[in-house]
Amino acid sequence: MNLTIRDIAKMAGVSPATVSKIMNNYDGVNKNTKQKVLDIIQETGYRPTFSAKSLATKKSNLIGLIYAGKINVDFTHPFFNKVMTSFKRIVGELGYDILMFSNEQFHQSNDSYLARCRHFQVDGCLIIAGEEMEEAVYELVQSEIPCVGVDLEFAGPKYSYVMTDNEKISNTVVEHLYLQNIRDIAFISGKQDSSIARLREQGFLHAMQQFGMEIKPEWVQHGDFFQESGYQAMKRILEKGPYPQAVFAASDLMAFGAKQAIEEHGLQIPDDIRLIGCDDIDACQFSTPQLTTVRQDKEKLGKLAAYLLNDLINDASEKQPILVDPELIIRESCT
């Protein structure tokens, strides 16, 4: 027999509201009444349904997870997978479950993330960056639902975000190469309409100007953060000499594509061209040569996102975005 809160109230001779107060440890309930209700709950093995708990506490303890954008990452993406693993662990410790919103049929049905969040009564949302962002994402960010983005630089009344300091990523790379007496540097950026790509490109151009190094337009190419685009971008850079002394790719996957193009061209890494990626995915340690890269602290980003979202859920005040410092990891491709 499935008992309801009304059944427990009837057995105890109290109102359902009193049972709800006792279950949620509110003050103002007679001691004897409280003990009587607790005894009945223990004897009957009553457990409140999800909807009953949500109604009583005004919280569902659900976090919505959205992989945003018409072009989005998936569970296997080496960077976001580690961020999500860290996030999931912390929100679990904080008492939340995660509900993932699929967008497979999203664009055909003109669905709304906000409507779905309200339907499931989620307490907040984590939004993972993608490309070609849907209008529905902007609608959600401007709503009353607390949201935290990873690598999504939006603004909203209950929105904040965490990301690595992307301009500092590029500045760190250019400064390192400058100190190695390397002046001819090529850059493979992400898509031109990507905010992350723009920040990394701005950082690269600013650092090159700061150190007085020439920026050759033909050496600044664009990809999409994935391997094939890095391969094609590097082929364009190598179309005519002279070649750059070093190449900085705005993602490790594009760096691996660039590596393939360099080697197919008969050039050696690092003897002819030094190569640096970004993200420090696991594959960097196992490539030949091992890939120098800029490490983003994926575990820290996930933890910060979890605590920031929990604060937004439990605190009406705005929370400032959090930028995390990058770290240059020197390996064989840039020695």
Side-chain angles (χ1 to χ4, degrees):
M1 177 182 176
N2 291 325
L3 295 173
T4 68
I5 196 169
R6 291 182 181 278
D7 295 324
I8 300 299
K10 190 174 181 181
M11 292 178 192
V14 298
S15 70
T18 300
V19 176
S20 176
K21 284 182 180 180
I22 292 168
M23 288 171 55
N24 291 288
N25 206 27
Y26 290 152
D27 295 329
V29 180
N30 178 277
K31 224 186 241 188
N32 293 333
T33 301
K34 183 176 182 179
Q35 190 58 53
K36 183 179 181 181
V37 170
L38 291 175
D39 288 343
I40 291 171
I41 289 173
Q42 186 173 4
E43 289 167 10
T44 59
Y46 169 70
R47 296 188 66 183
T49 63
F50 170 77
S51 56
K53 287 174 68 178
S54 298
L55 192 62
T57 64
K58 307 300 183 186
K59 287 186 68 177
S60 65
N61 289 95
L62 285 177
I63 299 295
L65 170 61
I66 297 171
Y67 283 87
K70 295 177 183 176
I71 304 171
N72 55 64
V73 299
D74 59 25
F75 298 111
T76 62
H77 191 284
F79 172 73
F80 287 108
N81 181 41
K82 290 210 166 183
V83 174
M84 266 309 303
T85 299
S86 175
F87 176 85
K88 183 179 69 173
R89 185 178 71 252
I90 298 300
V91 294
E93 292 173 1
L94 292 170
Y96 297 98
D97 289 311
I98 296 176
L99 175 66
M100 181 175 177
F101 292 133
S102 169
N103 67 352
E104 295 301 320
Q105 300 296 322
F106 190 90
H107 311 293
Q108 298 175 23
S109 60
N110 196 30
D111 206 348
S112 165
Y113 287 129
L114 179 56
R116 280 197 260 178
C117 286
R118 287 172 175 165
H119 174 75
F120 290 104
Q121 298 180 305
V122 299
D123 295 332
C125 272
L126 179 74
I127 309 174
I128 300 293
E131 303 287 353
E132 299 182 25
M133 210 61 62
E134 311 98 324
E135 282 298 320
V137 174
Y138 298 102
E139 178 191 33
L140 176 60
V141 166
Q142 293 302 318
S143 77
E144 78 285 359
I145 307 287
C147 293
V148 167
V150 178
D151 282 357
L152 284 173
E153 196 177 14
F154 294 151
K158 294 281 283 183
Y159 178 83
S160 194
Y161 62 87
V162 297
M163 67 167 62
T164 304
D165 190 330
N166 286 284
E167 291 196 40
K168 187 178 282 189
I169 285 174
S170 299
N171 186 80
T172 300
V173 169
V174 173
E175 180 183 81
H176 172 75
L177 293 171
Y178 180 80
L179 291 172
Q180 301 304 310
N181 198 31
I182 292 172
R183 302 292 181 265
D184 299 327
I185 307 171
F187 179 59
I188 302 176
S189 183
K191 296 181 72 172
Q192 290 177 290
D193 60 356
S194 161
S195 60
I196 297 301
R198 282 199 302 272
L199 288 169
R200 292 180 190 177
E201 187 168 336
Q202 286 171 13
F204 174 78
L205 298 175
H206 180 265
M208 291 288 285
Q209 292 167 349
Q210 181 183 20
F211 291 108
M213 294 190 280
E214 182 183 0
I215 301 167
K216 296 184 179 180
E218 66 272 22
W219 284 359
V220 178
Q221 296 290 331
H222 294 86
D224 61 7
F225 291 113
F226 291 96
Q227 186 163 338
E228 177 61 23
S229 71
Y231 174 75
Q232 297 298 337
M234 193 69 229
K235 285 180 70 173
R236 293 193 292 273
I237 292 170
L238 296 172
E239 279 177 355
K240 49 187 174 183
Y243 305 133
Q245 294 173 281
V247 177
F248 170 42
S251 77
D252 290 333
L253 293 177
M254 289 197 298
F256 288 131
K259 175 179 178 291
Q260 181 185 350
I262 291 169
E263 291 171 347
E264 285 182 3
H265 210 75
L267 300 170
Q268 299 295 315
I269 302 170
D271 297 339
D272 299 311
I273 297 179
R274 302 184 189 203
L275 181 62
I276 300 178
C278 180
D279 290 337
D280 193 30
I281 63 176
D282 290 342
C284 296
Q285 302 175 56
F286 305 110
S287 66
T288 305
Q290 292 179 329
L291 183 65
T292 294
T293 185
V294 183
R295 174 177 293 161
Q296 299 194 69
D297 193 332
K298 297 173 278 293
E299 182 175 351
K300 187 174 185 179
L301 287 166
K303 289 175 69 174
L304 285 169
Y307 286 122
L308 184 58
L309 183 54
N310 186 56
D311 285 347
L312 284 168
I313 290 168
N314 292 292
D315 188 348
S317 64
E318 292 184 10
K319 297 294 179 182
Q320 292 299 312
I322 301 174
L323 296 182
V324 176
D325 285 334
E327 179 187 3
L328 184 63
I329 306 298
I330 306 297
R331 297 194 181 102
E332 298 165 346
S333 70
C334 191
T335 55

